[in-house]
Amino acid sequence: MAVEETTRRVTRRRVRTRANLLDAAFAVFAAKGFGRVSIEEVCEAAGYSRGAFYSNFDSLDELFFALYQQRADLIAEQVAGALALDGPDLDVPSAVDRVTEVLLLDLDWLLVKTDFLVHAARDAQVAETLLEHRARLRRAVADRLARAQGFPRLPAVLGDVDGAAHAVVAAYDGVTTQLLLDKDVEHARVWLKQLLTALLTDGSGNNPQRAH
């Protein structure tokens, strides 16, 4: 019994240590960039020794990979959850509002995500993780459009729901690139809402009935 309790305490402590290292690394990576950060800097920011680091991660690359995957998984789940709130009907303006609130988290996340994109461009294994995250986002959008009742016909240029999902993610990519440069979060959020509404409706924000 005592051994089991000790094991649980050790496990909880290790989980907490790993979470603290990831949080500290997120702040350091966002501030300095992935290629400019050392293990020592992450340990100092988290308040741990190198031993604590190496008991959780083999390298800085592994930590960066785990950090991106953790945040990306959370965002994919939040997007899917935001799209599921309307029931069988889809209120496009409301859904767009919810999704943009989830997607446009903050500049720090966009900086880390951009670093990961550059890293992935040079490493095929890392690229697989990035591609899977993007595919999850597209699937969440496409599945929701496919299940919607009374939804307007998509613009012909988009093709089907998969085409619409690709367009949604592409719009997000474009808006966030601009956001990295001008740092205007509120304008970026408004712009993204306008783009997504125009993509998925007639541009008016209304939900006309599906054409028969």
Side-chain angles (χ1 to χ4, degrees), residues 175-190:
V175 169
T176 53
T177 297
Q178 184 64 34
L179 175 57
L180 285 171
L181 299 176
D182 63 28
K183 307 293 192 297
D184 190 342
V185 176
E186 289 310 310
H187 182 263
R189 184 175 289 112
V190 170

mmCIF file with all atom_site columns, all heavy atoms in Angstrom, residues 175-190:
data_model
loop_
_atom_site.group_PDB
_atom_site.id
_atom_site.type_symbol
_atom_site.label_atom_id
_atom_site.label_alt_id
_atom_site.label_comp_id
_atom_site.label_asym_id
_atom_site.label_entity_id
_atom_site.label_seq_id
_atom_site.pdbx_PDB_ins_code
_atom_site.Cartn_x
_atom_site.Cartn_y
_atom_site.Cartn_z
_atom_site.occupancy
_atom_site.B_iso_or_equiv
_atom_site.pdbx_formal_charge
_atom_site.auth_seq_id
_atom_site.auth_comp_id
_atom_site.auth_asym_id
_atom_site.auth_atom_id
_atom_site.pdbx_PDB_model_num
ATOM 1   N N   . VAL A 1 175 ? -4.474  35.242 -42.618 1.00 0.00 ? 175 VAL A N   1
ATOM 2   C CA  . VAL A 1 175 ? -4.740  36.255 -41.593 1.00 0.00 ? 175 VAL A CA  1
ATOM 3   C C   . VAL A 1 175 ? -3.672  36.218 -40.511 1.00 0.00 ? 175 VAL A C   1
ATOM 4   O O   . VAL A 1 175 ? -3.199  37.269 -40.059 1.00 0.00 ? 175 VAL A O   1
ATOM 5   C CB  . VAL A 1 175 ? -6.144  36.040 -40.987 1.00 0.00 ? 175 VAL A CB  1
ATOM 6   C CG1 . VAL A 1 175 ? -6.342  36.910 -39.746 1.00 0.00 ? 175 VAL A CG1 1
ATOM 7   C CG2 . VAL A 1 175 ? -7.213  36.372 -42.009 1.00 0.00 ? 175 VAL A CG2 1
ATOM 8   N N   . THR A 1 176 ? -3.257  35.037 -40.096 1.00 0.00 ? 176 THR A N   1
ATOM 9   C CA  . THR A 1 176 ? -2.276  34.957 -39.017 1.00 0.00 ? 176 THR A CA  1
ATOM 10  C C   . THR A 1 176 ? -0.888  35.412 -39.477 1.00 0.00 ? 176 THR A C   1
ATOM 11  O O   . THR A 1 176 ? -0.123  35.946 -38.675 1.00 0.00 ? 176 THR A O   1
ATOM 12  C CB  . THR A 1 176 ? -2.192  33.532 -38.446 1.00 0.00 ? 176 THR A CB  1
ATOM 13  O OG1 . THR A 1 176 ? -1.966  32.592 -39.510 1.00 0.00 ? 176 THR A OG1 1
ATOM 14  C CG2 . THR A 1 176 ? -3.476  33.166 -37.726 1.00 0.00 ? 176 THR A CG2 1
ATOM 15  N N   . THR A 1 177 ? -0.578  35.227 -40.753 1.00 0.00 ? 177 THR A N   1
ATOM 16  C CA  . THR A 1 177 ? 0.695   35.748 -41.263 1.00 0.00 ? 177 THR A CA  1
ATOM 17  C C   . THR A 1 177 ? 0.721   37.271 -41.146 1.00 0.00 ? 177 THR A C   1
ATOM 18  O O   . THR A 1 177 ? 1.719   37.867 -40.711 1.00 0.00 ? 177 THR A O   1
ATOM 19  C CB  . THR A 1 177 ? 0.901   35.329 -42.726 1.00 0.00 ? 177 THR A CB  1
ATOM 20  O OG1 . THR A 1 177 ? 0.977   33.905 -42.810 1.00 0.00 ? 177 THR A OG1 1
ATOM 21  C CG2 . THR A 1 177 ? 2.185   35.931 -43.287 1.00 0.00 ? 177 THR A CG2 1
ATOM 22  N N   . GLN A 1 178 ? -0.378  37.910 -41.535 1.00 0.00 ? 178 GLN A N   1
ATOM 23  C CA  . GLN A 1 178 ? -0.464  39.361 -41.400 1.00 0.00 ? 178 GLN A CA  1
ATOM 24  C C   . GLN A 1 178 ? -0.404  39.777 -39.934 1.00 0.00 ? 178 GLN A C   1
ATOM 25  O O   . GLN A 1 178 ? 0.222   40.780 -39.576 1.00 0.00 ? 178 GLN A O   1
ATOM 26  C CB  . GLN A 1 178 ? -1.757  39.866 -42.031 1.00 0.00 ? 178 GLN A CB  1
ATOM 27  C CG  . GLN A 1 178 ? -1.899  41.383 -42.040 1.00 0.00 ? 178 GLN A CG  1
ATOM 28  C CD  . GLN A 1 178 ? -0.843  42.061 -42.899 1.00 0.00 ? 178 GLN A CD  1
ATOM 29  O OE1 . GLN A 1 178 ? -0.431  41.508 -43.926 1.00 0.00 ? 178 GLN A OE1 1
ATOM 30  N NE2 . GLN A 1 178 ? -0.391  43.233 -42.479 1.00 0.00 ? 178 GLN A NE2 1
ATOM 31  N N   . LEU A 1 179 ? -1.045  38.993 -39.070 1.00 0.00 ? 179 LEU A N   1
ATOM 32  C CA  . LEU A 1 179 ? -1.073  39.308 -37.646 1.00 0.00 ? 179 LEU A CA  1
ATOM 33  C C   . LEU A 1 179 ? 0.330   39.301 -37.045 1.00 0.00 ? 179 LEU A C   1
ATOM 34  O O   . LEU A 1 179 ? 0.661   40.127 -36.182 1.00 0.00 ? 179 LEU A O   1
ATOM 35  C CB  . LEU A 1 179 ? -1.964  38.298 -36.919 1.00 0.00 ? 179 LEU A CB  1
ATOM 36  C CG  . LEU A 1 179 ? -2.028  38.385 -35.391 1.00 0.00 ? 179 LEU A CG  1
ATOM 37  C CD1 . LEU A 1 179 ? -2.467  39.764 -34.934 1.00 0.00 ? 179 LEU A CD1 1
ATOM 38  C CD2 . LEU A 1 179 ? -2.967  37.315 -34.845 1.00 0.00 ? 179 LEU A CD2 1
ATOM 39  N N   . LEU A 1 180 ? 1.166   38.387 -37.499 1.00 0.00 ? 180 LEU A N   1
ATOM 40  C CA  . LEU A 1 180 ? 2.538   38.341 -36.992 1.00 0.00 ? 180 LEU A CA  1
ATOM 41  C C   . LEU A 1 180 ? 3.294   39.628 -37.292 1.00 0.00 ? 180 LEU A C   1
ATOM 42  O O   . LEU A 1 180 ? 4.204   40.010 -36.559 1.00 0.00 ? 180 LEU A O   1
ATOM 43  C CB  . LEU A 1 180 ? 3.284   37.152 -37.602 1.00 0.00 ? 180 LEU A CB  1
ATOM 44  C CG  . LEU A 1 180 ? 2.929   35.773 -37.055 1.00 0.00 ? 180 LEU A CG  1
ATOM 45  C CD1 . LEU A 1 180 ? 3.584   34.691 -37.897 1.00 0.00 ? 180 LEU A CD1 1
ATOM 46  C CD2 . LEU A 1 180 ? 3.376   35.645 -35.593 1.00 0.00 ? 180 LEU A CD2 1
ATOM 47  N N   . LEU A 1 181 ? 2.907   40.295 -38.368 1.00 0.00 ? 181 LEU A N   1
ATOM 48  C CA  . LEU A 1 181 ? 3.618   41.510 -38.776 1.00 0.00 ? 181 LEU A CA  1
ATOM 49  C C   . LEU A 1 181 ? 3.031   42.773 -38.140 1.00 0.00 ? 181 LEU A C   1
ATOM 50  O O   . LEU A 1 181 ? 3.771   43.634 -37.672 1.00 0.00 ? 181 LEU A O   1
ATOM 51  C CB  . LEU A 1 181 ? 3.585   41.638 -40.299 1.00 0.00 ? 181 LEU A CB  1
ATOM 52  C CG  . LEU A 1 181 ? 4.258   40.497 -41.069 1.00 0.00 ? 181 LEU A CG  1
ATOM 53  C CD1 . LEU A 1 181 ? 4.076   40.695 -42.572 1.00 0.00 ? 181 LEU A CD1 1
ATOM 54  C CD2 . LEU A 1 181 ? 5.739   40.414 -40.722 1.00 0.00 ? 181 LEU A CD2 1
ATOM 55  N N   . ASP A 1 182 ? 1.689   42.890 -38.146 1.00 0.00 ? 182 ASP A N   1
ATOM 56  C CA  . ASP A 1 182 ? 1.115   44.146 -37.656 1.00 0.00 ? 182 ASP A CA  1
ATOM 57  C C   . ASP A 1 182 ? 0.676   44.099 -36.194 1.00 0.00 ? 182 ASP A C   1
ATOM 58  O O   . ASP A 1 182 ? 0.354   45.136 -35.607 1.00 0.00 ? 182 ASP A O   1
ATOM 59  C CB  . ASP A 1 182 ? -0.037  44.602 -38.554 1.00 0.00 ? 182 ASP A CB  1
ATOM 60  C CG  . ASP A 1 182 ? -1.215  43.626 -38.573 1.00 0.00 ? 182 ASP A CG  1
ATOM 61  O OD1 . ASP A 1 182 ? -1.428  42.902 -37.588 1.00 0.00 ? 182 ASP A OD1 1
ATOM 62  O OD2 . ASP A 1 182 ? -1.940  43.607 -39.587 1.00 0.00 ? 182 ASP A OD2 1
ATOM 63  N N   . LYS A 1 183 ? 0.626   42.899 -35.593 1.00 0.00 ? 183 LYS A N   1
ATOM 64  C CA  . LYS A 1 183 ? 0.319   42.723 -34.163 1.00 0.00 ? 183 LYS A CA  1
ATOM 65  C C   . LYS A 1 183 ? -1.070  43.230 -33.766 1.00 0.00 ? 183 LYS A C   1
ATOM 66  O O   . LYS A 1 183 ? -1.342  43.439 -32.599 1.00 0.00 ? 183 LYS A O   1
ATOM 67  C CB  . LYS A 1 183 ? 1.364   43.456 -33.290 1.00 0.00 ? 183 LYS A CB  1
ATOM 68  C CG  . LYS A 1 183 ? 2.813   43.100 -33.582 1.00 0.00 ? 183 LYS A CG  1
ATOM 69  C CD  . LYS A 1 183 ? 3.135   41.683 -33.223 1.00 0.00 ? 183 LYS A CD  1
ATOM 70  C CE  . LYS A 1 183 ? 4.634   41.407 -33.242 1.00 0.00 ? 183 LYS A CE  1
ATOM 71  N NZ  . LYS A 1 183 ? 5.267   41.558 -34.540 1.00 0.00 ? 183 LYS A NZ  1
ATOM 72  N N   . ASP A 1 184 ? -1.950  43.391 -34.740 1.00 0.00 ? 184 ASP A N   1
ATOM 73  C CA  . ASP A 1 184 ? -3.290  43.910 -34.457 1.00 0.00 ? 184 ASP A CA  1
ATOM 74  C C   . ASP A 1 184 ? -4.270  42.743 -34.337 1.00 0.00 ? 184 ASP A C   1
ATOM 75  O O   . ASP A 1 184 ? -4.902  42.332 -35.313 1.00 0.00 ? 184 ASP A O   1
ATOM 76  C CB  . ASP A 1 184 ? -3.724  44.861 -35.576 1.00 0.00 ? 184 ASP A CB  1
ATOM 77  C CG  . ASP A 1 184 ? -4.998  45.624 -35.243 1.00 0.00 ? 184 ASP A CG  1
ATOM 78  O OD1 . ASP A 1 184 ? -5.721  45.189 -34.324 1.00 0.00 ? 184 ASP A OD1 1
ATOM 79  O OD2 . ASP A 1 184 ? -5.270  46.635 -35.909 1.00 0.00 ? 184 ASP A OD2 1
ATOM 80  N N   . VAL A 1 185 ? -4.410  42.210 -33.138 1.00 0.00 ? 185 VAL A N   1
ATOM 81  C CA  . VAL A 1 185 ? -5.218  41.014 -32.915 1.00 0.00 ? 185 VAL A CA  1
ATOM 82  C C   . VAL A 1 185 ? -6.690  41.267 -33.212 1.00 0.00 ? 185 VAL A C   1
ATOM 83  O O   . VAL A 1 185 ? -7.358  40.453 -33.864 1.00 0.00 ? 185 VAL A O   1
ATOM 84  C CB  . VAL A 1 185 ? -5.045  40.506 -31.465 1.00 0.00 ? 185 VAL A CB  1
ATOM 85  C CG1 . VAL A 1 185 ? -5.960  39.314 -31.193 1.00 0.00 ? 185 VAL A CG1 1
ATOM 86  C CG2 . VAL A 1 185 ? -3.589  40.122 -31.209 1.00 0.00 ? 185 VAL A CG2 1
ATOM 87  N N   . GLU A 1 186 ? -7.206  42.384 -32.743 1.00 0.00 ? 186 GLU A N   1
ATOM 88  C CA  . GLU A 1 186 ? -8.635  42.648 -32.932 1.00 0.00 ? 186 GLU A CA  1
ATOM 89  C C   . GLU A 1 186 ? -8.991  42.798 -34.414 1.00 0.00 ? 186 GLU A C   1
ATOM 90  O O   . GLU A 1 186 ? -10.017 42.289 -34.872 1.00 0.00 ? 186 GLU A O   1
ATOM 91  C CB  . GLU A 1 186 ? -9.044  43.907 -32.154 1.00 0.00 ? 186 GLU A CB  1
ATOM 92  C CG  . GLU A 1 186 ? -9.040  43.704 -30.642 1.00 0.00 ? 186 GLU A CG  1
ATOM 93  C CD  . GLU A 1 186 ? -9.809  42.461 -30.218 1.00 0.00 ? 186 GLU A CD  1
ATOM 94  O OE1 . GLU A 1 186 ? -10.964 42.301 -30.668 1.00 0.00 ? 186 GLU A OE1 1
ATOM 95  O OE2 . GLU A 1 186 ? -9.267  41.637 -29.469 1.00 0.00 ? 186 GLU A OE2 1
ATOM 96  N N   . HIS A 1 187 ? -8.143  43.505 -35.158 1.00 0.00 ? 187 HIS A N   1
ATOM 97  C CA  . HIS A 1 187 ? -8.406  43.651 -36.593 1.00 0.00 ? 187 HIS A CA  1
ATOM 98  C C   . HIS A 1 187 ? -8.316  42.297 -37.291 1.00 0.00 ? 187 HIS A C   1
ATOM 99  O O   . HIS A 1 187 ? -9.128  41.981 -38.179 1.00 0.00 ? 187 HIS A O   1
ATOM 100 C CB  . HIS A 1 187 ? -7.414  44.624 -37.224 1.00 0.00 ? 187 HIS A CB  1
ATOM 101 C CG  . HIS A 1 187 ? -7.648  44.850 -38.686 1.00 0.00 ? 187 HIS A CG  1
ATOM 102 N ND1 . HIS A 1 187 ? -6.949  44.162 -39.661 1.00 0.00 ? 187 HIS A ND1 1
ATOM 103 C CD2 . HIS A 1 187 ? -8.525  45.656 -39.343 1.00 0.00 ? 187 HIS A CD2 1
ATOM 104 C CE1 . HIS A 1 187 ? -7.367  44.544 -40.853 1.00 0.00 ? 187 HIS A CE1 1
ATOM 105 N NE2 . HIS A 1 187 ? -8.318  45.435 -40.702 1.00 0.00 ? 187 HIS A NE2 1
ATOM 106 N N   . ALA A 1 188 ? -7.349  41.479 -36.896 1.00 0.00 ? 188 ALA A N   1
ATOM 107 C CA  . ALA A 1 188 ? -7.195  40.153 -37.504 1.00 0.00 ? 188 ALA A CA  1
ATOM 108 C C   . ALA A 1 188 ? -8.420  39.293 -37.237 1.00 0.00 ? 188 ALA A C   1
ATOM 109 O O   . ALA A 1 188 ? -8.887  38.560 -38.118 1.00 0.00 ? 188 ALA A O   1
ATOM 110 C CB  . ALA A 1 188 ? -5.938  39.474 -36.955 1.00 0.00 ? 188 ALA A CB  1
ATOM 111 N N   . ARG A 1 189 ? -8.962  39.393 -36.027 1.00 0.00 ? 189 ARG A N   1
ATOM 112 C CA  . ARG A 1 189 ? -10.154 38.606 -35.695 1.00 0.00 ? 189 ARG A CA  1
ATOM 113 C C   . ARG A 1 189 ? -11.347 39.040 -36.546 1.00 0.00 ? 189 ARG A C   1
ATOM 114 O O   . ARG A 1 189 ? -12.080 38.208 -37.087 1.00 0.00 ? 189 ARG A O   1
ATOM 115 C CB  . ARG A 1 189 ? -10.477 38.736 -34.205 1.00 0.00 ? 189 ARG A CB  1
ATOM 116 C CG  . ARG A 1 189 ? -11.651 37.872 -33.762 1.00 0.00 ? 189 ARG A CG  1
ATOM 117 C CD  . ARG A 1 189 ? -11.866 37.921 -32.260 1.00 0.00 ? 189 ARG A CD  1
ATOM 118 N NE  . ARG A 1 189 ? -10.806 37.210 -31.566 1.00 0.00 ? 189 ARG A NE  1
ATOM 119 C CZ  . ARG A 1 189 ? -9.889  37.796 -30.795 1.00 0.00 ? 189 ARG A CZ  1
ATOM 120 N NH1 . ARG A 1 189 ? -9.903  39.091 -30.620 1.00 0.00 ? 189 ARG A NH1 1
ATOM 121 N NH2 . ARG A 1 189 ? -8.962  37.069 -30.195 1.00 0.00 ? 189 ARG A NH2 1
ATOM 122 N N   . VAL A 1 190 ? -11.534 40.344 -36.686 1.00 0.00 ? 190 VAL A N   1
ATOM 123 C CA  . VAL A 1 190 ? -12.634 40.861 -37.509 1.00 0.00 ? 190 VAL A CA  1
ATOM 124 C C   . VAL A 1 190 ? -12.454 40.435 -38.967 1.00 0.00 ? 190 VAL A C   1
ATOM 125 O O   . VAL A 1 190 ? -13.405 40.002 -39.636 1.00 0.00 ? 190 VAL A O   1
ATOM 126 C CB  . VAL A 1 190 ? -12.704 42.398 -37.407 1.00 0.00 ? 190 VAL A CB  1
ATOM 127 C CG1 . VAL A 1 190 ? -13.674 42.962 -38.437 1.00 0.00 ? 190 VAL A CG1 1
ATOM 128 C CG2 . VAL A 1 190 ? -13.124 42.813 -36.002 1.00 0.00 ? 190 VAL A CG2 1
#
